[in-house]
Amino acid sequence: EAGVVQSPRYKIIEKKQPVAFWCNPISGHNTLYWYLQNLGQGPELLIRYENEEAVDDSQLPKDRFSAERLKGVDSTLKIQPAELGDSAVYLCASSGRTVAYNEQFFGPGTRLTVL
Amino acid sequence: ILNVEQSPQSLHVQEGDSTNFTCSFPSSNFYALHWYRWETAKSPEALFVMTLNGDEKKKGRISATLNTKEGYSYLYIKGSQPEDSATYLCAFNPSNDYKLSFGAGTTVTVRA
């Protein structure tokens, strides 16, 4: 079974530029998460989708961040414009209704560097 | 935001030695405690889901214990090997929902 796929794996941009990250969850997983991991900290939830609906986006900085999951499968997270403080690892995870104890399955992340 | 702490932040282990490290979490409510291993350039890999006080789980040379009353879990690596080098994350789930609170991780480096 293929795992969670993310691209790109690494991205370097200059501040004020836009950037987008893509995630393909495990087949059949209806729940998709985007996490932000700053250096030296644990991952923090940005947004959670149930199918195509964003059911928790309370931690998403909506002035510059946006996300979509149009067909309830793949998802894209966008930052526009990027700031220096956005340099971090962006993780995508997914889970399914039959998964026990809310276990989440992670992709390898996208490491963003904003110069 | 729940306070989940992992200690130490990093450790260096000689190949063949055993080691252990801690994840502390609030003991007031408990549903599950997840351990992940995150190797460089790879996806975080689920190691264990701890659900009951006193749980002990084992996977090869890695094992974990859980004390929900005092709010901690230990992860043990017996006879460390270079391939055990990774960051080990714990994630606390106080109730049966999707919200996981992660620790900052313990980075283990095994020296040959």
Side-chain angles (χ1 to χ4, degrees), chain A residues 20 36 46 109:
Chain A
L36 163 68
L46 287 173

Side-chain angles (χ1 to χ4, degrees), chain A residues 42-109:
Chain A
E44 297 178 352
L45 182 68
L46 287 173
I47 188 169
R48 177 176 77 103
Y49 281 92
E50 289 289 345
N51 301 305
E52 65 277 6
E53 182 182 359
V55 293
D56 184 356
D57 63 357
S58 58
Q59 301 304 311
L60 189 72
K62 299 180 185 62
D63 56 337
R64 297 184 300 107
F65 286 65
S66 63
E68 60 183 16
R69 194 184 184 198
L70 293 176
K71 297 183 179 179
V73 181
D74 295 0
S75 177
T76 303
L77 178 68
K78 298 178 181 178
I79 308 175
Q80 184 171 11
E83 297 179 351
L84 294 176
D86 296 330
S87 295
V89 176
Y90 293 82
L91 286 163
C92 178
S94 70
S95 64
R97 292 190 180 93
T98 59
V99 175
Y101 296 105
N102 304 308
E103 186 172 7
Q104 298 176 20
F105 298 82
F106 286 86

Side-chain angles (χ1 to χ4, degrees), chain B residues 3-85:
Chain B
N3 189 24
V4 179
E5 295 187 353
Q6 291 188 246
S7 64
Q9 183 178 7
S10 65
L11 58 90
H12 291 77
V13 187
Q14 197 67 34
E15 183 178 358
D17 288 350
S18 297
T19 189
N20 64 85
F21 38 93
T22 310
C23 173
S24 301
F25 50 87
S27 57
S28 52
N29 293 295
F30 182 87
Y31 180 69
L33 191 286
H34 302 257
W35 280 103
Y36 289 88
R37 174 171 60 197
W38 193 0
E39 297 178 65
T40 302
K42 294 186 178 180
S43 301
E45 170 198 5
L47 284 175
F48 305 113
V49 181
M50 317 291 287
T51 59
L52 296 174
N53 185 43
D55 255 357
E56 292 187 24
K57 296 204 173 180
K58 187 175 181 181
K59 185 177 184 179
R61 294 177 292 96
I62 301 177
S63 59
T65 60
L66 178 68
N67 184 322
T68 61
K69 297 185 185 305
E70 296 184 28
Y72 64 84
S73 176
Y74 289 133
L75 195 81
Y76 300 88
I77 305 176
K78 182 179 179 181
S80 302
Q81 299 297 309
E83 58 264 32
D84 296 326
S85 296

Side-chain angles (χ1 to χ4, degrees), chain A residues 20-55:
Chain A
F21 315 125
W22 176 81
C23 174
N24 180 248
I26 291 173
S27 178
H29 281 190
N30 61 305
T31 306
L32 184 146
Y33 311 80
W34 282 103
Y35 285 88
L36 163 68
Q37 187 189 27
N38 286 305
L39 187 64
Q41 300 180 23
E44 297 178 352
L45 182 68
L46 287 173
I47 188 169
R48 177 176 77 103
Y49 281 92
E50 289 289 345
N51 301 305
E52 65 277 6
E53 182 182 359
V55 293

